[in-house]
Amino acid sequence: MSTAICPGSFDPITVGHLSIIRRAASIFDNVVVCIMFNSTKISPMFTIEEKLDMACKAVADIPNVTVDTFSGLLVEYAKRYDKPVIVKGLRAASDFEYEFQMNLINKRLNPDIDTMFLPASEKYTFLSSSVVRELAHYGANLKGLVPDELIPFIEEKAKQWR
Ligand code: PNS
Protein backbone atom coordinates (compact mmCIF):
# COMPACT_ATOMS: atom_id res chain seq x y z
CA MET A 1 0.00 0.00 0.00
CA SER A 2 1.62 3.28 -1.12
CA THR A 3 1.46 6.23 1.26
CA ALA A 4 2.01 9.92 0.63
CA ILE A 5 2.51 12.43 3.41
CA CYS A 6 1.47 15.99 2.56
CA PRO A 7 3.09 18.04 5.33
CA GLY A 8 2.56 21.72 5.93
CA SER A 9 1.60 24.43 8.36
CA PHE A 10 -1.82 24.89 6.67
CA ASP A 11 -2.50 28.26 8.29
CA PRO A 12 -5.14 27.90 6.81
CA ILE A 13 -5.53 25.13 4.21
CA THR A 14 -6.23 26.66 0.77
CA VAL A 15 -7.75 25.35 -2.46
CA GLY A 16 -4.16 25.27 -3.76
CA HIS A 17 -3.19 22.79 -1.01
CA LEU A 18 -6.37 20.86 -1.72
CA SER A 19 -5.53 20.59 -5.41
CA ILE A 20 -2.13 19.02 -4.55
CA ILE A 21 -3.76 16.71 -1.97
CA ARG A 22 -6.37 15.53 -4.51
CA ARG A 23 -3.70 14.84 -7.11
CA ALA A 24 -1.63 12.93 -4.54
CA ALA A 25 -4.77 10.95 -3.65
CA SER A 26 -5.11 9.89 -7.29
CA ILE A 27 -1.50 8.63 -7.38
CA PHE A 28 -1.12 7.00 -3.93
CA ASP A 29 -3.33 4.46 -2.13
CA ASN A 30 -3.33 6.50 1.02
CA VAL A 31 -2.59 10.18 1.70
CA VAL A 32 -1.95 11.68 5.12
CA VAL A 33 -2.18 15.44 5.46
CA CYS A 34 0.11 16.22 8.40
CA ILE A 35 -0.22 19.57 10.13
CA MET A 36 3.19 20.48 11.46
CA PHE A 37 5.14 23.27 13.07
CA ASN A 38 7.31 25.49 10.87
CA SER A 39 9.82 27.20 13.15
CA THR A 40 10.17 30.13 10.72
CA LYS A 41 6.43 30.91 11.05
CA ILE A 42 6.26 31.75 14.73
CA SER A 43 2.87 33.38 15.16
CA PRO A 44 0.22 31.35 13.37
CA MET A 45 -3.28 32.73 12.95
CA PHE A 46 -4.95 29.41 13.79
CA THR A 47 -4.39 26.90 16.59
CA ILE A 48 -3.44 23.33 15.75
CA GLU A 49 -6.98 22.22 16.68
CA GLU A 50 -8.50 24.82 14.34
CA LYS A 51 -6.16 23.83 11.50
CA LEU A 52 -7.01 20.17 12.08
CA ASP A 53 -10.73 20.88 12.05
CA MET A 54 -10.49 22.97 8.85
CA ALA A 55 -8.31 20.38 7.07
CA CYS A 56 -10.67 17.53 8.08
CA LYS A 57 -13.64 19.43 6.64
CA ALA A 58 -11.69 20.27 3.46
CA VAL A 59 -10.75 16.63 2.69
CA ALA A 60 -13.98 15.01 3.95
CA ASP A 61 -15.03 14.02 0.41
CA ILE A 62 -11.73 12.32 -0.51
CA PRO A 63 -11.96 8.72 0.77
CA ASN A 64 -8.25 7.86 0.89
CA VAL A 65 -7.13 11.04 2.69
CA THR A 66 -6.75 11.42 6.46
CA VAL A 67 -5.52 14.32 8.55
CA ASP A 68 -3.05 14.16 11.41
CA THR A 69 -0.79 16.46 13.40
CA PHE A 70 2.76 16.04 14.70
CA SER A 71 5.02 18.41 16.60
CA GLY A 72 8.39 16.76 15.85
CA LEU A 73 10.54 16.24 12.79
CA LEU A 74 8.81 15.13 9.60
CA VAL A 75 11.22 12.20 9.18
CA GLU A 76 10.26 10.99 12.68
CA TYR A 77 6.58 11.15 11.78
CA ALA A 78 7.27 9.33 8.50
CA LYS A 79 8.56 6.27 10.44
CA ARG A 80 4.93 5.40 11.20
CA TYR A 81 4.42 4.33 7.58
CA ASP A 82 5.96 1.78 5.25
CA LYS A 83 8.15 3.60 2.68
CA PRO A 84 6.10 6.81 2.61
CA VAL A 85 6.76 9.53 0.06
CA ILE A 86 6.63 13.19 1.08
CA VAL A 87 4.56 15.18 -1.42
CA LYS A 88 4.95 18.94 -1.76
CA GLY A 89 3.49 21.37 -4.25
CA LEU A 90 5.69 23.86 -6.10
CA ARG A 91 4.28 27.17 -7.29
CA ALA A 92 7.45 28.88 -8.48
CA ALA A 93 11.23 28.66 -8.61
CA SER A 94 11.39 30.29 -5.17
CA ASP A 95 9.34 27.37 -3.74
CA PHE A 96 11.75 24.98 -5.41
CA GLU A 97 14.82 26.43 -3.69
CA TYR A 98 13.24 26.12 -0.23
CA GLU A 99 11.62 22.74 -0.85
CA PHE A 100 14.73 21.30 -2.45
CA GLN A 101 16.73 22.29 0.63
CA MET A 102 14.08 20.68 2.87
CA ASN A 103 14.27 17.55 0.75
CA LEU A 104 18.06 17.42 1.19
CA ILE A 105 17.79 17.91 4.96
CA ASN A 106 15.14 15.21 5.23
CA LYS A 107 17.25 12.89 3.05
CA ARG A 108 20.23 13.51 5.30
CA LEU A 109 18.15 12.70 8.36
CA ASN A 110 16.59 9.63 6.76
CA PRO A 111 17.98 8.54 3.36
CA ASP A 112 15.07 6.09 2.88
CA ILE A 113 12.44 8.79 2.57
CA ASP A 114 11.91 10.44 -0.79
CA THR A 115 10.16 13.68 -1.68
CA MET A 116 7.97 14.09 -4.74
CA PHE A 117 7.21 17.57 -6.08
CA LEU A 118 3.96 18.30 -7.88
CA PRO A 119 3.82 21.52 -9.89
CA ALA A 120 0.92 23.67 -8.77
CA SER A 121 -1.87 24.25 -11.23
CA GLU A 122 -1.38 27.56 -13.04
CA LYS A 123 -4.57 28.97 -11.51
CA TYR A 124 -3.16 28.60 -7.98
CA THR A 125 0.38 29.92 -8.49
CA PHE A 126 -0.50 33.21 -6.74
CA LEU A 127 -2.19 31.54 -3.78
CA SER A 128 -0.70 30.98 -0.33
CA SER A 129 -1.94 30.79 3.24
CA SER A 130 -0.29 34.16 3.91
CA VAL A 131 -2.29 35.77 1.05
CA VAL A 132 -5.48 34.32 2.57
CA ARG A 133 -4.57 35.65 6.03
CA GLU A 134 -3.81 39.09 4.61
CA LEU A 135 -7.06 39.24 2.64
CA ALA A 136 -9.06 37.95 5.61
CA HIS A 137 -7.49 40.64 7.78
CA TYR A 138 -8.82 43.33 5.45
CA GLY A 139 -12.24 41.70 5.14
CA ALA A 140 -11.80 40.82 1.45
CA ASN A 141 -13.84 38.10 -0.27
CA LEU A 142 -12.19 34.68 0.21
CA LYS A 143 -14.35 32.82 -2.30
CA GLY A 144 -12.28 30.56 -4.54
CA LEU A 145 -9.23 30.78 -2.27
CA VAL A 146 -10.26 28.43 0.53
CA PRO A 147 -13.01 25.77 0.62
CA ASP A 148 -16.41 27.52 0.84
CA GLU A 149 -17.37 25.83 4.11
CA LEU A 150 -14.33 27.34 5.87
CA ILE A 151 -14.98 30.94 4.88
CA PRO A 152 -17.32 31.93 7.76
CA PHE A 153 -14.91 30.55 10.36
CA ILE A 154 -11.85 32.23 8.80
CA GLU A 155 -13.72 35.54 8.54
CA GLU A 156 -14.80 35.32 12.17
CA LYS A 157 -11.27 34.51 13.33
CA ALA A 158 -9.88 37.41 11.27
CA LYS A 159 -12.30 39.80 13.03
CA GLN A 160 -10.83 38.75 16.39
CA TRP A 161 -7.34 39.42 14.99
CA ARG A 162 -8.07 42.98 13.89
O1 PNS B 1 3.52 24.80 4.81
P1 PNS B 1 4.96 24.97 5.18
O2 PNS B 1 5.13 25.97 6.31
O3 PNS B 1 5.83 25.28 4.00
O4 PNS B 1 5.44 23.54 5.72
C1 PNS B 1 6.75 23.38 6.21
C2 PNS B 1 6.81 22.15 7.12
C3 PNS B 1 5.84 22.29 8.28
C4 PNS B 1 6.46 20.90 6.31
C5 PNS B 1 8.27 22.04 7.64
O5 PNS B 1 8.60 23.20 8.36
C6 PNS B 1 8.48 20.80 8.50
O6 PNS B 1 8.70 19.73 7.97
N1 PNS B 1 8.36 20.98 9.84
C7 PNS B 1 8.56 19.90 10.78
C8 PNS B 1 10.00 19.94 11.34
C9 PNS B 1 10.96 19.38 10.31
O7 PNS B 1 11.00 18.19 10.06
N2 PNS B 1 11.73 20.28 9.65
C10 PNS B 1 12.60 19.87 8.56
C11 PNS B 1 14.01 19.79 8.99
S1 PNS B 1 14.68 21.38 9.35
Side-chain angles (χ1 to χ4, degrees):
M1 182 136 137
S2 61
T3 299
I5 302 175
C6 293
S9 30
F10 301 107
D11 189 42
I13 193 165
T14 70
V15 293
H17 291 131
L18 214 43
S19 162
I20 297 292
I21 293 164
R22 281 187 198 285
R23 285 162 60 199
S26 72
I27 299 169
F28 293 87
D29 295 322
N30 174 34
V31 174
V32 188
V33 175
C34 190
I35 298 164
M36 307 199 78
F37 180 66
N38 180 338
S39 59
T40 65
K41 300 177 180 172
I42 47 172
S43 51
M45 178 171 178
F46 299 94
T47 66
I48 289 287
E49 291 73 23
E50 289 168 339
K51 291 178 185 185
L52 196 62
D53 187 52
M54 287 190 284
C56 284
K57 285 180 175 137
V59 303
D61 68 322
I62 322 172
N64 57 335
V65 178
T66 52
V67 183
D68 202 355
T69 174
F70 189 69
S71 58
L73 286 172
L74 176 53
V75 290
E76 288 301 319
Y77 179 76
K79 285 180 183 169
R80 297 176 182 194
Y81 299 92
D82 183 29
K83 295 190 183 69
V85 174
I86 297 166
V87 172
K88 292 288 283 188
L90 294 180
R91 290 161 302 184
S94 51
D95 276 356
F96 178 77
E97 280 179 30
Y98 172 76
E99 296 297 351
F100 191 68
Q101 185 191 16
M102 281 295 137
N103 147 74
L104 292 176
I105 295 166
N106 288 330
K107 264 269 173 228
R108 192 185 164 91
L109 293 168
N110 186 342
D112 292 337
I113 296 175
D114 256 314
T115 300
M116 180 186 277
F117 296 125
L118 289 179
S121 162
E122 185 191 6
K123 59 187 176 189
Y124 299 132
T125 48
F126 70 93
L127 183 56
S128 65
S129 295
S130 59
V131 161
V132 170
R133 292 195 303 273
E134 179 87 354
L135 292 173
H137 176 78
Y138 290 105
N141 189 350
L142 301 180
K143 191 154 180 62
L145 306 182
V146 294
D148 283 351
E149 64 272 30
L150 305 184
I151 293 176
F153 176 71
I154 295 171
E155 285 177 345
E156 199 47 46
K157 183 86 182 183
K159 277 185 200 159
Q160 296 164 22
W161 258 50
R162 271 177 222 150

